[in-house]
Amino acid sequence: MFRDRLVEQHIRRRRRRHYNYWAFLWVAPVVVLVSIFSAYPLINSFILSLTNSSGSGYGDFVGLDNFVELFQDEVFWICMKNVVIFTIVGIVCGNFMTILLAELLFNLKFKKTSAILRVLFILPVLVPSVVVLLVWENLIFSSSGLVNQMFLAMGKEPIAWYFENPYNFIAIIVTNFPWVGGTSFLIYLAGLQNINKSVFEASRLDGISGFRRVFRIDLPLIKGQLKYFLIMGVIGGLQNFDLQLIITGSGPGTTNGVNVPGYYIFQLAWSGEYDVRYGYASAIGVVIFIITIGFSIANFRKNKREVMQ
């Protein structure tokens, strides 16, 4: 009896080891790809930020000189100011409009109409963002676009919206209005649908309805989604530079002055607008990474304290 039990335990251990072996084998390709395309560029950026590399090898080791120069760089601080403005406005406007749409669809009594609208609002995901930006540039804010045609009808001169201060900030912020295309409103809608119906019934009995219900019940119960989009909004805002790259070409020497850190990195490393400075561009990337990871860690710690309480 005891011998049979030992044999059975030995067979189980062999099966467990065999299973673990195959599990690691399946995970290995993912680990290799993540290491090559995610971990290696990150580590390489840290190394390059400590050198004066100009694109051919690592160059000479300069320590923290790039970071010292960076914090004295007026262009960098202009970029940071711009990206803070764009990120805050984007998060506030985007989340407000997305939650508004989710609430409208959630409270719509005609379920078939709600399903059709969900499909229509998810369609913009299928359109590349470059196409959307070009539509805004050529059809909305161009010299003969919709907005300038309205100005001409009112007897006013047309404006180069993306290239004149302070109109360029307005044009960039308004681009992609009403900021609801994509999957974000579906996530908010799913959060609202996940709320127990008894909560809404109790709120009606207590006389809480309309906007009072949205602020007292709906928003507190979709706090997880709000925090997620807050973090992703900050990360995406700090890294985003597609509009500057495609439309404005917003170098600091131009009159528009809507440069952002991501585009400044592009200018330093690839565009030819400056001397190629991989080390200095990597230092900017490291600073953005530190800001992003610091914000994420602070948010996670805050969530952990709330859960423990």
Side-chain angles (χ1 to χ4, degrees), residues 167-233:
Y167 305 110
N168 45 15
F169 273 87
I170 298 172
I172 289 175
I173 290 170
V174 173
T175 297
N176 289 326
F177 177 85
W179 314 292
V180 293
T183 58
S184 55
F185 85 95
L186 289 179
I187 296 175
Y188 279 124
L189 182 60
L192 293 171
Q193 292 174 337
N194 196 43
I195 299 174
N196 198 309
K197 292 183 179 179
S198 61
V199 176
F200 298 120
E201 293 173 358
S203 68
R204 283 195 295 268
L205 292 174
D206 291 338
I208 301 174
S209 60
F211 286 106
R212 292 177 62 198
R213 194 204 76 191
V214 171
F215 289 102
R216 293 192 179 186
I217 295 176
D218 295 3
L219 290 180
L221 292 178
I222 59 171
K223 188 187 296 183
Q225 288 87 341
L226 284 167
K227 290 180 179 179
Y228 168 77
F229 283 112
L230 175 63
I231 294 175
M232 297 308 296

Side-chain angles (χ1 to χ4, degrees), residues 3 12 19 40 53 57 61 69 79 87 91 102 139 167-168 175 180 190 196 205 211 234 244 249 272 274 280 292 305:
R3 181 180 177 181
R12 287 179 179 176
Y19 171 78
Y40 170 73
S53 173
F61 178 77
E69 180 183 352
C79 293
T87 301
I91 290 174
L139 298 182
Y167 305 110
N168 45 15
T175 297
V180 293
N196 198 309
L205 292 174
F211 286 106
V234 171
Q244 282 79 5
Y274 295 90
Y280 193 60
T292 304
R305 286 197 299 268

Side-chain angles (χ1 to χ4, degrees), residues 227-228 231-232 235 292-307:
K227 290 180 179 179
Y228 168 77
I231 294 175
M232 297 308 296
I235 294 173
T292 304
I293 200 71
F295 181 83
S296 302
I297 291 173
N299 184 72
F300 290 146
R301 287 184 175 179
K302 183 176 180 297
N303 292 342
K304 186 177 180 180
R305 286 197 299 268
E306 290 179 354
V307 170

Side-chain angles (χ1 to χ4, degrees), residues 64-75:
L64 299 177
D65 288 355
N66 286 327
F67 295 95
V68 173
E69 180 183 352
L70 178 64
F71 287 104
Q72 298 173 351
D73 187 349
E74 183 180 355
V75 174

Side-chain angles (χ1 to χ4, degrees), residues 87-154:
T87 301
I88 292 175
V89 174
I91 290 174
V92 173
C93 295
N95 282 279
F96 173 78
M97 296 298 293
T98 305
I99 293 172
L100 178 62
L101 174 63
E103 285 284 353
L104 291 174
L105 292 179
F106 177 69
N107 292 284
L108 193 63
K109 294 181 180 180
F110 303 102
K111 299 304 178 184
K112 289 185 178 179
T113 305
S114 177
I116 294 172
L117 290 174
R118 285 200 298 269
V119 173
L120 291 177
F121 280 109
I122 203 66
L123 286 178
V125 176
L126 305 177
V127 180
S129 60
V130 175
V131 175
V132 176
L133 294 178
L134 292 176
V135 167
W136 278 87
E137 179 189 17
N138 295 298
L139 298 182
I140 309 295
F141 285 129
S142 66
S143 58
S144 58
L146 178 62
V147 176
N148 278 326
Q149 290 300 317
M150 294 171 61
F151 271 55
L152 288 172
M154 293 185 292

